Amino acid sequence: MMNMDLRRSLSFMKIDNLPVITPENNEFLLCFKINSSQSQSIEPDPACFLENLLFMGQKIEDDPAHEQVELPQGHYLFSQFRADAVLSRDEWLDLAIEQQKDGLWERNKLSDLLYIRFLYEDGAFVTQIFRDYFNI
């Protein structure tokens, strides 16, 4: 885990369904609302952690005909995992929970939003976890 200062928002076209992620179809963003009671817990319950999916987006050329969603510029706790395949929901959820534990241990105030970015680069699938925070 590291702290990241994202200086420019990343824009995506809003989509309703997440397709199979392949090297050719390779960059997506998910945004989840985290259950408020779980979002500040050092031992959150994985079964109750996520409240609902707020949006999904796919990186494509700018298209004004489609609704845009974004990962806003800001300060984030950031984790990344590279693999030969896309991580499953349980795998990236475990990463997000570990990131939360580390962030709370460092006395950060974490937001209730979780961003998951999937991409393919340099011959590997990459899962990135973003969680905006405030210093206490």
Side-chain angles (χ1 to χ4, degrees):
M1 181 191 76
M2 61 185 273
N3 295 337
M4 174 187 276
D5 182 8
L6 185 63
R7 302 217 175 222
R8 191 174 128 243
S9 298
L10 302 178
S11 296
F12 297 79
M13 178 185 74
K14 186 175 183 181
I15 58 176
D16 294 326
N17 297 299
L18 187 65
V20 174
I21 300 169
T22 67
E24 297 78 30
N25 187 21
N26 70 359
E27 189 171 348
F28 298 90
L29 180 70
L30 309 176
C31 179
F32 289 90
K33 170 81 169 76
I34 299 172
N35 180 295
S36 296
S37 66
Q38 299 293 312
S39 71
Q40 303 305 310
S41 172
I42 199 76
E43 291 295 332
D45 179 354
C48 302
F49 190 69
L50 297 177
E51 215 166 75
N52 57 346
L53 177 65
L54 298 178
F55 63 78
M56 291 184 287
Q58 180 177 5
K59 191 70 161 180
I60 62 165
E61 298 298 319
D62 287 336
D63 183 353
H66 290 94
E67 184 179 352
Q68 299 289 306
V69 295
E70 68 179 20
L71 174 61
Q73 73 180 48
H75 296 282
Y76 293 92
L77 297 181
F78 174 77
S79 300
Q80 176 171 285
F81 188 84
R82 302 177 69 80
D84 293 335
V86 175
L87 294 182
S88 70
R89 181 182 175 99
D90 288 341
E91 290 169 325
W92 60 252
L93 184 58
D94 287 344
L95 287 175
I97 288 172
E98 286 304 312
Q99 182 188 66
Q100 174 169 303
K101 290 177 182 181
D102 290 345
L104 292 173
W105 182 258
E106 293 178 1
R107 298 188 178 271
N108 293 303
K109 171 73 171 149
L110 306 176
S111 78
D112 288 350
L113 294 180
L114 174 67
Y115 297 92
I116 310 295
R117 182 180 178 210
F118 300 108
L119 61 148
Y120 185 85
E121 66 179 8
D122 299 328
F125 289 96
V126 180
T127 301
Q128 297 176 333
I129 313 289
F130 294 84
R131 184 91 176 266
D132 50 336
Y133 71 95
F134 313 93
N135 291 323
I136 296 177

